[in-house]
Amino acid sequence: EAGDRASAIALLERALADDPQDVAAHALLGVLHATAGDAEPARAALRRALYLDPGHHESRAQLALLTARGGQGGREAAP
C-alpha cells in the first residue's frame, strides 16, 4: 500500500522460495511486474500460477490484459 513495488516483489519472491506452490503469491507477483511495465516476468509469474491452478481466473484475466496491451510481442497467450 505504501507504493514500494520493489520491496513487495522482493517479499513475494522470498515467500515463494519458502512455498513455491503458492498460487496467490505467483499471481500477485505477476500483477506487480505488469504494473511496473515488466511484461516478461509478469507473464512468467502468471503462467506459473495457472500451471499450479488452471482455474485461477484472476491470473487468466491478467494474462489476457497483458496480451491485449501488446505485452505478448505478437504471440498468442498460452495459459
Side-chain angles (χ1 to χ4, degrees), residues 4-60:
D4 188 358
R5 187 178 299 126
S7 292
I9 288 171
L11 181 66
L12 282 168
E13 288 172 346
R14 284 193 305 275
L16 286 166
D18 291 336
D19 183 7
Q21 295 187 3
D22 186 337
V23 175
H26 283 294
L28 183 54
L29 184 60
V31 170
L32 288 173
H33 280 301
T35 59
D38 298 329
E40 189 56 39
R43 273 194 303 279
L46 293 166
R47 286 184 176 146
R48 282 190 296 271
L50 287 170
Y51 174 80
L52 293 167
D53 180 2
H56 197 261
H57 300 293
E58 293 171 22
S59 295
R60 189 170 303 279

